[in-house]
Amino acid sequence: MAKGDYLGFPFMDYPNGSTKYRRFIKFRQMMLGQQRALSWDALRECGKEMRAQGLIRENSLWDREFLEAAASSYRTMMVEFLSMFVFHPRPADQPNSDMDHPNVEPPPPEVSFCLFGERQNTSLCQFAIATGFYTEDKLVQDIYTTTIMAMPDDQLLAWWPTLCPEPFGKKVRVSLIPDPLVRYLHRCIATSISVRGRSNEWVRKVDLFYLYCLFTGTTCGFHHCLAKYFASAAEA
């Protein structure tokens, strides 16, 4: 059952031994809300502001990502949201209209979570809008329709030497990257869209993917990546 600071929230009174309870205990013990927002003042002081502006244009996806990281968060809602988050992505080559045919068993909602005990089921498009990364009119534009969610490892590893002279293993310390702007942006990524405990000093493949998208101008599907991350965090 819910314990400690969560006793006053009956909607989080999950049965012992259940998947909900296991997830709840996990996130209850985690350090949440420790994200780091990008500071333009700090970049200006270090002489990196203009270069960063060339990468993170105003109102771009990356600008919104780092802006959202600075927003206040409510721990109880975060724990409930993450404990109950489920992601069922639909096949990219199968239109929703085909999957919703009356003679076909309806698929589960693409995105599902709870807020204050109320189950919320949405499509991935609706989730994309709710996160603030996209507006409805953008869903038919290249910024949404041509995004990538992952890249082949060999392509990422071939690009890695442009950032660091050291070989990339399963992970590598960010301190080995000579460029201070890359190290700074990695910290922003590692404490927001790729957050994980206290191991922010390591560059992982998922971080390398985000850095590749940021520095090459490749459009990253934040909505899909974020939903996949939330779901994987709950299952890990």
Side-chain angles (χ1 to χ4, degrees):
M1 300 297 182
K3 301 177 181 178
D5 297 339
Y6 301 90
L7 284 174
F9 302 96
F11 53 83
M12 298 179 71
D13 199 11
Y14 308 126
N16 285 332
S18 66
T19 299
K20 298 175 184 178
Y21 181 78
R22 175 178 57 80
R23 291 178 174 181
F24 165 73
I25 291 299
K26 172 186 175 179
F27 290 114
R28 175 176 175 267
Q29 297 172 343
M30 285 181 64
M31 293 178 61
L32 300 175
Q34 304 295 316
Q35 61 270 20
R36 297 291 184 268
L38 186 147
S39 171
W40 288 105
D41 290 338
L43 289 170
R44 187 178 305 113
E45 185 175 339
C46 296
K48 302 295 182 180
E49 180 185 24
M50 291 187 63
R51 184 178 169 210
Q53 287 176 337
L55 299 169
I56 308 165
R57 300 190 180 279
E58 185 176 3
N59 204 36
S60 66
L61 291 177
W62 282 106
D63 186 37
R64 291 174 219 165
E65 145 62 12
F66 293 135
L67 182 64
E68 289 297 321
S72 300
S73 57
Y74 184 38
R75 182 176 175 84
T76 300
M77 292 182 66
M78 290 177 65
V79 170
E80 182 194 18
F81 174 84
L82 292 171
S83 297
M84 300 297 291
F85 193 92
V86 181
F87 181 38
H88 293 288
R90 295 187 177 184
D93 61 347
Q94 192 166 10
N96 288 352
S97 57
D98 291 347
M99 299 189 74
D100 294 335
H101 191 279
N103 295 327
V104 178
E105 183 179 353
E110 287 183 282
V111 177
S112 181
F113 54 89
C114 281
L115 290 176
F116 290 108
E118 295 291 330
R119 172 64 68 179
Q120 308 291 328
N121 298 321
T122 74
S123 68
L124 188 57
C125 290
Q126 291 170 324
F127 179 74
I129 295 173
T131 58
F133 286 129
Y134 305 89
T135 53
E136 188 171 0
D137 62 301
K138 299 295 184 183
L139 298 184
V140 295
Q141 299 181 18
D142 287 349
I143 192 175
Y144 184 85
T145 60
T146 63
T147 57
I148 64 171
M149 289 54 143
M151 289 187 62
D153 286 352
D154 57 350
Q155 189 171 347
L156 288 175
L157 296 179
W159 183 74
W160 168 249
T162 66
L163 299 182
C164 181
E166 299 296 326
F168 190 97
K170 291 184 178 179
K171 56 184 180 181
V172 65
R173 288 191 180 277
V174 68
S175 58
L176 296 176
I177 297 178
D179 191 332
L181 179 60
V182 177
R183 296 197 302 268
Y184 180 77
L185 293 176
H186 171 268
R187 175 54 64 95
C188 293
I189 290 170
T191 57
S192 57
I193 198 172
S194 182
V195 65
R196 66 287 186 150
R198 297 180 176 86
S199 59
N200 298 325
E201 73 275 16
W202 297 101
V203 181
R204 304 181 304 173
K205 282 185 181 177
V206 65
D207 305 329
L208 187 54
F209 166 70
Y210 288 128
L211 288 170
Y212 176 91
C213 291
L214 177 56
F215 279 88
T216 65
T218 302
T219 306
C220 169
F222 278 111
H223 60 300
H224 187 285
C225 294
L226 196 59
K228 183 179 179 181
Y229 169 70
F230 286 153
S232 65
E235 293 296 338

